Amino acid sequence: MSSNSFAYSEQSGGGEATELGQEATSTISPSGAFGLFSSDMKKNEDLKQMLESNKDSAKLDAMKRIVGMIAKGKNASELFPAVVKNVASKNIEIKKLVYVYLVRYAEEQQDLALLSISTFQRALKDPNQLIRASALRVLSSIRVPIIVPIMMLAIKEASADLSPYVRKNAAHAIQKLYSLDPEQKEMLIEIIEKLLKDKSTLVAGSVVMAFEEVCPDRIDLIHKNYRKLCNLLVDVEEWGQVVIIHMLTRYARTQFVSPWKEGDGLEDNEKDFYDSDEEQKEKTDKRKKPYTMDPDHRLLIRNTKPLLQSRNAAVVMAVAQLYWHIAPKSEAGIISKSLVRLLRSNREVQYIVLQNIATMSIQRKGMFEPYLKSFYVRSTDPTMIKILKLEILTNLANEANISTLLREFQTYVKSQDKQFAAATIQTIGRCATNISEVTDTCLTGLVCLLSNRDEIVVAESVVVIKKLLQMQPVQHGEIIKHMAKLLDSITVPVARASILWLIGENCERVPKIAPDVLRKTAKSFTGEDDLVKLQILNLGAKLYLTNSKQTKLLTQYILNLGKYDQNYDIRDRTRFIRQLIVPNEKSGALSKYAKKIFLAQKPAPLLESPFKGRDHYQLGTLSHTLNTKATGYLELSNWPEVAPDPSVRNVEVIELAKEWTPAGKAKKENPDKKFYSESAEEEEDSSESSSDESESGSESGEQDEEGDSSEDSSERESESGSESEAENKRAAKKNSKTKGKSDSEDVDKENENSKTSDSSNAESSSIEDSSSDSESESESESESESRKVTKEKENKTKQDRNPLTKDVSLLDLDDFNPASTPVVLPTPALSPSLIADLEGLNLSASSSVISVSTPVFVPVKTHVLLHRMSGKGLAAHYFFPRQPCSFGDNMVSVQITLNNTTDWQVENIHIGEKKLPVGMQMHVFNPIESLEPEGSITVSMGIDFCDSTQTASFQLCTKDDCFSVNIQPPVGELLLPVAMSEKDFKKEQGMLTGMNETSTVIIAAPQNFTSSVILQKVVNVANVGVVPSGQDNIHRFAAKTVHSGSLMLVTVELKEGSTAQLIINTEKTVIGSLLLRELKPVLSQG
């Protein structure tokens, strides 16, 4: 410790610090206890001197040590005057550390902090964002009502700051100001409303926290920001995600109708007893009414799903409770796997997660049944975890798994942890009551435990047996006799009391034993526990009423003992029983009914889960954990019967679009524009096919998720998808084919128009076409197209391509990024908003044409699909013919050759079960009726590999057998060759730099770097087209990915000597790196 404490003295340039350090060392050294106790005071004196030094190095070292003291939990408040003097220091590092200190101690030393308030106000204008934020934090930490106006002004200014970090701190300060002066609520709500519109992910979590603290009931502030918050969720920091998810759960419960109605209807389909047929019919009609989920409801569920894979347990728990409370019951099952994963965390996390699973497993057992073994108890688990796991195992127990669980419980009973062993016996009792088939087995097992050496196990067994016997007492006289014998050895009060109660209840079934038990307990009455004394009194009363001849005197003796007992409960009970059972002239009317009162039939106890009542609290909250309402808990409202108006969540797009139109470029209609043009007729076929390709590519699902998590694309997705989805679903299905054609015609019109008109005309026609086309899109199309639109906005220099008509949003230009360049054929249009950025550029240049070309001929490489030994005589080979697939534009063509090497006919050859990764599709060949001996046949298939080298697994079946086979594509077969000019190649390459470019150096003999050798080697590996090159030392190749149509540009540049550089430019960086890995060894070898 001492060496660290004075480390500052070793630094150069700190002469004064050195002297101070030596002085402090000399003062600490005196021997004995005095030196030890005085050291802290002297150290602090030392620090004060350093803080008053003229040298920044000494001050900085002092501040580092002070902050270190705070971090270790030591009190550094006495240094406040010395530290606060340095708040105006010009050294930025010192200033930051001073603010860290002030945030910690400003509340304790308010008067001194107020002296420096003018410095804090000046710091709010500091050019450094960290200083501005720190000043606001210190200001909001001085909790004095007099500075509320200053704080309010500072928060207002900070909420409009250019730095998102400062705005985040403004949101934090809102909560502090509200707790200091709740009367400022209305003004703070205005700031919250402003900050909720902020697009920065840094601010989102903090402002929602402020919203939850200040005005959680103002749901109207969330309406316009709902979709944005859903889409930003993935990118917000983890603690912000937790807050937002909890808030959106409450929001969803007020704005959407219940998705559980159909399931609930199925559960109570029995006719009510008093309902007439007409009423019953009305109810069933209501149930039959189809439920359609609100698109915004679906958006929330879909956007939170990826967070189940978060590394933060709180985020996973938040998503789990969201799915539990607002998702359809059929979809809630996905949370179980994520929650079970959290059981590998530390014990505190396990405790909370298991509590929530225990609540869930009561209502929906099926969710966690597949993970039953995950809840088996480990010997290293702490007791609290063990008991929670037992609770869950009990909830999941059913006829199918009870035998396995009982074997597991037998092991737990032998545990050294006595509390856990007792809990296990209670669990066995609950299983016995819940599952009638094993009641007798459990009872027998518990009776066996009565001979256990461990007293706690025996005692707990007695208590549980007593509860079980209450359910069926007639059959078990022998067990009662056995338990009566145990009274001599059992000392645990609860167990003794349970045995006495059982004997009293069944005294008529054991007429010989009961009086003897009373005799023995009368001897030890004075030394018994109060609980046992009460049961002795009860037993005496019951025997007096049923067998007074034998027990009359004994009962009176016990009543006399009880009359003078120290415990007033026992004295009261004694007087009550005496008046009730011993008739005399003072006895009231009740004494006639004494037998009925004491020997009435008691209801069997209901053994329920202690978690049964907790489900009315929101899962994952403190209230749920404590099972009591905690301060600040916001209850979940019930689902509304009728959903409120969903249009409140719509965000106006049109006005914003007008604002982005360049000045002086008003929309003009082109009267000379013809419906059909020559270029449209010439290019109709290619446009139509490529348009279909882009549509089918978008429908295939998760084709390209690299940009999906960005706030712009996701915001656009929610707006366009949710608005057009509900009303146009049917129209989209009918017109999907005609839409493809009209799109391609519009593309060609735009192409001609862009050549002949100026930029404003191109802009107006693009907007008009986009608004007309967007009205006939289904949900899936609008979502996938909105992804493309977002990427189109990022293509800054693609003005000379064939424009596609799209529904373009202009809200999202903040994160404009010209680097990412996805290519979908036909290539995307410029969004109208980009015209402003491209003014002055020549748009009339001839548009480049990028089209699929004929592949270069290479020898066919065949791969074994099924060996004849494995296929019982049926052999199969496959190869890639490198031709566009006839089954779908986004599929890779695969040809399979089947050979029958047997002496008999193979019948009904077909594709059986397919095990494809998510998104992958396969078009299978028609079944082959028969294949003659030594016969051979070649069939074609199409597989959409989704631009990945994942294996397509399926079964190749005959009439008698099925064989599991796999097709894994080489990366080069996922491409189609593209014909393009050198100029276009360079332009595209210029847009695919940075992270989209991978390169490596190749070393080989000069004779391997001739044009023909390089061409042959490259096309052997990949299905690429040759691009003409004006330089002998540069060879260029171009292709596009089959699924998404992204360009793949390959350059081999020969250097001096025997080296060359291989460069690959593509948006699909994974495929690019795989192709680089394939090409490098091929080009290097001789």
Side-chain angles (χ1 to χ4, degrees):
M1 177 66 198
S2 60
S3 61
N4 291 335
S5 301
F6 302 107
Y8 67 87
S9 64
E10 295 169 10
Q11 293 185 4
S12 59
E16 186 172 341
T18 309
E19 291 167 18
L20 292 168
Q22 289 166 353
E23 187 182 325
T25 311
S26 64
T27 58
I28 292 168
S29 58
S31 59
F34 179 75
L36 183 66
F37 287 116
S38 66
S39 62
D40 281 345
M41 183 184 71
K42 292 295 180 185
K43 274 185 198 173
N44 290 347
E45 287 297 324
D46 166 35
L47 288 168
K48 285 177 186 174
Q49 290 178 33
M50 291 174 69
L51 288 168
E52 288 166 6
S53 162
N54 293 326
K55 301 204 173 174
D56 283 351
S57 58
K59 288 181 179 179
L60 186 59
D61 285 329
M63 283 312 303
K64 283 179 182 177
R65 281 173 55 193
I66 292 167
V67 172
M69 286 167 64
I70 296 170
K72 289 175 182 174
K74 293 183 180 178
N75 184 14
S77 56
E78 66 173 34
L79 293 165
F80 195 92
V83 172
V84 83
K85 288 177 191 171
N86 291 289
V87 75
S89 171
K90 298 239 172 105
N91 186 312
I92 196 99
E93 295 302 320
I94 295 173
K95 194 179 265 193
K96 283 181 194 173
L97 292 174
V98 168
Y99 278 126
V100 169
Y101 177 90
L102 292 176
V103 167
R104 169 68 181 81
Y105 287 110
E107 195 170 343
E108 294 177 20
Q109 306 271 352
Q110 292 174 351
D111 295 339
L112 285 170
L114 282 172
L115 295 174
S116 304
I117 202 160
S118 58
T119 313
F120 303 144
Q121 286 179 282
R122 278 200 306 276
L124 289 169
K125 302 279 192 296
D126 195 279
N128 188 318
Q129 60 173 351
L130 296 176
I131 299 298
R132 295 201 300 276
S134 298
L136 182 61
R137 287 173 66 193
V138 174
L139 204 57
S140 58
S141 299
I142 305 172
R143 306 183 60 73
V144 181
I146 198 168
I147 65 162
V148 165
I150 298 172
M151 281 174 66
M152 178 60 78
L153 194 63
I155 291 170
K156 272 187 180 176
E157 287 181 6
S159 67
D161 198 282
L162 290 175
S163 164
Y165 180 69
V166 178
R167 300 199 297 273
K168 178 188 180 76
N169 279 280
H172 291 162
I174 288 172
Q175 301 164 58
K176 294 181 183 177
L177 180 54
Y178 178 69
S179 65
L180 182 63
D181 185 7
E183 291 179 8
Q184 302 293 327
K185 183 174 180 178
E186 290 306 315
M187 292 178 74
L188 291 173
I189 289 174
E190 288 176 21
I191 300 171
I192 289 171
E193 187 174 5
K194 178 182 173 184
L195 285 172
L196 278 170
K197 295 173 184 172
D198 202 307
K199 285 189 178 182
S200 171
T201 54
L202 203 61
V203 181
S206 302
V207 69
V208 169
M209 189 70 223
F211 170 83
E212 291 281 83
E213 287 287 325
V214 178
C215 53
D217 53 333
R218 286 291 304 273
I219 293 291
D220 56 298
L221 299 180
I222 304 298
H223 290 323
K224 296 286 183 190
N225 302 296
Y226 171 80
R227 292 172 190 160
K228 182 193 74 182
L229 286 171
C230 287
N231 292 315
L232 289 184
L233 199 52
V234 179
D235 299 319
V236 176
E237 87 279 2
E238 291 167 337
W239 298 112
Q241 287 173 345
V242 174
V243 174
I244 294 172
I245 290 168
H246 278 281
M247 185 274 291
L248 291 178
T249 306
R250 286 195 308 106
Y251 180 88
R253 286 291 286 256
T254 61
Q255 299 301 308
F256 308 127
V257 292
S258 171
W260 306 334
K261 285 184 179 176
E262 286 183 320
D264 293 347
L266 292 170
E267 282 170 20
D268 72 293
N269 51 10
E270 297 173 17
K271 180 176 172 181
D272 293 340
F273 188 78
Y274 295 103
D275 280 3
S276 65
D277 289 339
E278 288 77 12
E279 288 170 343
Q280 190 65 21
K281 190 177 179 185
E282 282 177 25
K283 284 189 179 181
T284 52
D285 287 345
K286 281 181 186 175
R287 283 182 196 149
K288 284 178 185 174
K289 189 178 179 183
Y291 166 74
T292 51
M293 184 178 279
D294 189 299
D296 289 326
H297 192 171
R298 170 60 62 200
L299 176 74
L300 175 57
I301 292 170
R302 187 176 64 238
N303 282 17
T304 49
K305 185 178 178 181
L307 297 179
L308 285 171
Q309 298 172 11
S310 173
R311 63 185 177 179
N312 187 310
V315 175
V316 177
M317 192 63 246
V319 178
Q321 66 81 26
L322 179 135
Y323 266 78
W324 178 259
H325 290 300
I326 73 164
K329 289 184 178 175
S330 58
E331 295 178 28
I334 64 166
I335 64 175
S336 51
K337 190 173 184 179
S338 301
L339 289 176
V340 170
R341 172 173 65 86
L342 293 183
L343 298 181
R344 298 173 192 151
S345 308
N346 55 50
R347 58 179 61 183
E348 293 80 12
V349 172
Q350 283 185 56
Y351 181 73
I352 298 298
V353 171
L354 286 168
Q355 276 201 322
N356 287 280
I357 292 176
T359 302
M360 294 180 193
S361 59
I362 293 170
Q363 293 184 23
R364 304 183 199 168
K365 289 186 180 183
M367 278 174 60
F368 295 98
E369 275 179 7
Y371 306 100
L372 188 71
K373 289 188 178 176
S374 299
F375 302 111
Y376 283 179
V377 173
R378 295 189 179 93
S379 57
T380 54
D381 287 336
T383 305
M384 59 181 183
I385 301 295
K386 289 177 180 175
I387 291 170
L388 278 172
K389 285 186 174 179
L390 269 181
E391 179 62 39
I392 294 164
L393 288 173
T394 313
N395 293 341
L396 299 181
N398 56 32
E399 292 85 350
N401 59 28
I402 187 64
S403 57
T404 312
L405 289 178
L406 286 176
R407 280 200 301 275
E408 190 75 13
F409 293 159
Q410 281 175 6
T411 312
Y412 299 166
V413 170
K414 298 169 188 170
S415 170
Q416 296 299 314
D417 185 343
K418 300 309 170 197
Q419 188 184 348
F420 171 54
T424 305
I425 294 166
Q426 290 177 7
T427 299
I428 294 170
R430 271 180 59 197
C431 289
T433 56
N434 296 340
I435 303 165
S436 55
E437 288 88 345
V438 295
T439 305
D440 292 337
T441 314
C442 292
L443 202 50
T444 309
L446 289 169
V447 170
C448 293
L449 289 176
L450 294 176
S451 57
N452 196 298
R453 290 179 187 172
D454 194 332
E455 195 174 356
I456 294 173
V457 171
V458 175
E460 200 65 43
S461 302
V462 168
V463 175
V464 174
I465 288 171
K466 171 212 153 192
K467 291 176 181 175
L468 290 178
L469 290 183
Q470 272 184 266
M471 301 169 71
Q472 39 186 358
V474 186
Q475 308 162 15
H476 300 291
E478 288 301 316
I479 295 175
I480 295 168
K481 290 175 186 176
H482 181 63
M483 290 172 74
K485 292 175 188 173
L486 292 172
L487 261 182
D488 296 335
S489 57
I490 290 179
T491 57
V492 178
V494 180
R496 290 178 67 80
S498 296
I499 294 172
L500 291 170
W501 185 90
L502 263 180
I503 293 169
E505 278 295 292
N506 301 282
C507 56
E508 291 174 331
R509 294 192 184 88
V510 283
K512 293 180 181 177
I513 293 172
D516 197 48
V517 168
L518 185 64
R519 179 182 61 79
K520 284 182 178 179
T521 50
K523 282 184 186 179
S524 60
F525 183 88
T526 51
E528 295 284 2
D529 189 85
D530 291 346
L531 187 65
V532 181
K533 286 178 182 177
L534 290 171
Q535 289 305 328
I536 294 171
L537 288 169
N538 282 348
L539 176 61
K542 288 171 185 174
L543 285 171
Y544 185 93
L545 293 169
T546 58
N547 189 1
S548 59
K549 189 184 289 185
Q550 279 184 295
T551 57
K552 186 175 182 180
L553 292 171
L554 203 52
T555 304
Q556 286 179 344
Y557 170 70
I558 290 168
L559 290 173
N560 287 332
L561 287 173
K563 185 177 179 182
Y564 302 105
D565 196 88
Q566 290 181 348
N567 188 303
Y568 56 81
D569 279 342
I570 293 165
R571 295 198 300 273
D572 286 353
R573 177 72 64 90
T574 304
R575 290 191 191 99
F576 166 71
I577 288 174
R578 189 188 292 276
Q579 289 298 320
L580 200 59
I581 66 169
V582 182
N584 55 36
E585 54 279 356
K586 293 181 183 177
S587 297
L590 275 179
S591 56
K592 296 179 199 172
Y593 307 104
K595 194 166 184 178
K596 284 186 179 178
I597 291 170
F598 274 103
L599 298 170
Q601 189 70 35
K602 275 83 172 178
L606 200 60
L607 299 177
E608 282 188 339
S609 168
F611 288 86
K612 192 159 190 182
R614 294 195 187 194
D615 52 352
H616 62 277
Y617 293 116
Q618 187 175 351
L619 294 184
T621 58
L622 179 63
S623 299
H624 175 268
T625 303
L626 300 176
N627 198 21
T628 185
K629 191 172 179 180
T631 309
Y633 173 71
L634 300 168
E635 287 189 0
L636 281 179
S637 59
N638 293 324
W639 295 102
E641 287 296 319
V642 180
D645 181 18
S647 64
V648 293
R649 289 184 290 277
N650 293 346
V651 179
E652 292 297 327
V653 183
I654 300 165
E655 282 75 7
L656 287 168
K658 285 177 182 171
E659 287 172 19
W660 278 88
T661 308
K665 301 259 180 182
K667 292 187 194 174
K668 291 187 283 183
E669 291 200 13
N670 187 358
D672 301 327
K673 185 177 177 184
K674 293 180 182 179
F675 191 78
Y676 292 104
S677 65
E678 289 174 12
S679 62
E681 290 166 2
E682 288 167 9
E683 294 177 12
E684 185 173 2
D685 294 334
S686 64
S687 298
E688 185 171 339
S689 65
S690 53
S691 173
D692 289 342
E693 174 187 318
S694 66
E695 266 192 49
S696 61
S698 69
E699 288 167 3
S700 68
E702 305 167 10
Q703 61 184 20
D704 182 65
E705 298 196 345
E706 289 169 20
D708 282 8
S709 62
S710 72
E711 58 190 72
D712 301 318
S713 65
S714 49
E715 185 173 341
R716 177 69 192 96
E717 174 185 332
S718 66
E719 288 163 9
S720 65
S722 56
E723 287 170 14
S724 64
E725 174 189 2
E727 55 186 84
N728 303 316
K729 202 169 266 187
R730 295 192 191 97
K733 286 178 183 173
K734 289 181 183 176
N735 302 324
S736 61
K737 290 182 182 176
T738 55
K739 180 182 178 302
K741 290 183 181 176
S742 63
D743 274 3
S744 63
E745 287 163 4
D746 289 346
V747 167
D748 297 329
K749 281 195 292 177
E750 280 301 294
N751 186 24
E752 185 195 21
N753 203 38
S754 67
K755 292 178 187 176
T756 56
S757 65
D758 63 8
S759 61
S760 62
N761 286 338
E763 176 191 347
S764 64
S765 59
S766 169
I767 292 173
E768 286 159 12
D769 289 349
S770 70
S771 61
S772 65
D773 280 354
S774 66
E775 292 174 0
S776 62
E777 292 174 342
S778 67
E779 180 187 6
S780 63
E781 287 173 339
S782 63
E783 285 171 8
S784 55
E785 292 215 358
S786 67
R787 290 180 192 150
K788 290 183 199 166
V789 169
T790 310
K791 292 175 185 174
E792 288 161 22
K793 289 184 292 183
E794 295 171 3
N795 284 340
K796 199 168 186 178
T797 57
K798 288 205 168 181
Q799 70 277 17
D800 55 348
R801 294 287 181 80
N802 300 351
L804 257 184
T805 54
K806 299 282 183 212
D807 187 8
V808 180
S809 162
L810 303 182
L811 290 175
D812 309 325
L813 292 171
D814 296 349
D815 293 324
F816 192 121
N817 180 10
S820 62
T821 318
V823 177
V824 181
L825 294 178
T827 47
L830 287 168
S831 63
S833 60
L834 296 191
I835 304 299
D837 295 327
L838 300 173
E839 278 183 284
L841 294 178
N842 184 9
L843 297 180
S844 61
S846 59
S847 64
S848 60
V849 178
I850 299 177
S851 58
V852 177
S853 64
T854 310
V856 178
F857 174 78
V858 290
V860 174
K861 293 180 190 170
T862 59
H863 310 268
V864 175
L865 183 65
L866 179 65
H867 194 272
R868 62 187 179 84
M869 298 298 289
S870 307
K872 298 182 181 178
L874 178 67
H877 296 79
Y878 68 93
F879 64 93
F880 299 92
R882 294 196 174 182
Q883 295 294 337
C885 185
S886 56
F887 304 119
D889 292 329
N890 54 351
M891 287 189 170
V892 176
S893 182
V894 184
Q895 294 204 349
I896 299 176
T897 304
L898 301 164
N899 295 301
N900 180 3
T901 62
T902 64
D903 298 330
W904 56 86
Q905 202 176 56
V906 180
E907 297 180 350
N908 189 19
I909 304 173
H910 63 280
I911 300 295
E913 184 188 354
K914 292 178 279 190
K915 296 176 183 174
L916 305 177
V918 179
M920 195 180 283
Q921 296 177 354
M922 178 188 287
H923 188 286
V924 301
F925 60 82
N926 293 325
I928 300 162
E929 289 183 11
S930 63
L931 188 58
E932 298 298 324
E934 303 301 325
S936 177
I937 187 170
T938 300
V939 291
S940 292
M941 290 174 62
I943 304 176
D944 180 1
F945 287 104
C946 298
D947 290 347
S948 75
T949 55
Q950 293 184 81
T951 304
S953 301
F954 56 94
Q955 288 190 332
L956 183 62
C957 299
T958 63
K959 182 181 178 183
D960 305 314
D961 298 292
C962 283
F963 310 103
S964 294
V965 293
N966 304 308
I967 294 180
Q968 183 170 18
V971 66
E973 303 300 339
L974 300 174
L975 308 172
L976 285 174
V978 165
M980 63 196 307
S981 66
E982 185 178 4
K983 180 183 174 185
D984 291 333
F985 185 97
K986 289 179 178 176
K987 187 187 294 181
E988 294 295 343
Q989 192 176 32
M991 290 186 283
L992 290 168
T993 54
M995 290 183 69
N996 295 322
E997 180 175 291
T998 51
S999 62
T1000 186
V1001 175
I1002 302 162
I1003 301 171
Q1007 62 268 24
N1008 293 326
F1009 284 155
T1010 61
S1011 299
S1012 57
V1013 172
I1014 289 173
L1015 169 63
Q1016 197 59 41
K1017 286 184 175 182
V1018 172
V1019 296
N1020 268 336
V1021 172
N1023 187 16
V1024 293
V1026 182
V1027 176
S1029 176
Q1031 297 157 284
D1032 293 337
N1033 66 324
I1034 297 178
H1035 303 277
R1036 297 184 176 93
F1037 305 90
K1040 72 180 183 89
T1041 57
V1042 175
H1043 176 84
S1044 62
S1046 300
L1047 277 182
M1048 181 77 65
L1049 307 179
V1050 181
T1051 309
V1052 181
E1053 186 176 348
L1054 306 181
K1055 304 287 186 182
E1056 292 179 8
S1058 56
T1059 61
Q1061 188 173 21
L1062 173 62
I1063 306 167
I1064 295 180
N1065 301 80
T1066 180
E1067 188 192 25
K1068 298 283 185 181
T1069 51
V1070 176
I1071 294 185
S1073 59
L1074 287 173
L1075 185 59
L1076 189 82
R1077 209 180 299 159
E1078 295 269 334
L1079 283 171
K1080 183 178 178 180
V1082 172
L1083 291 171
S1084 299
Q1085 68 191 17

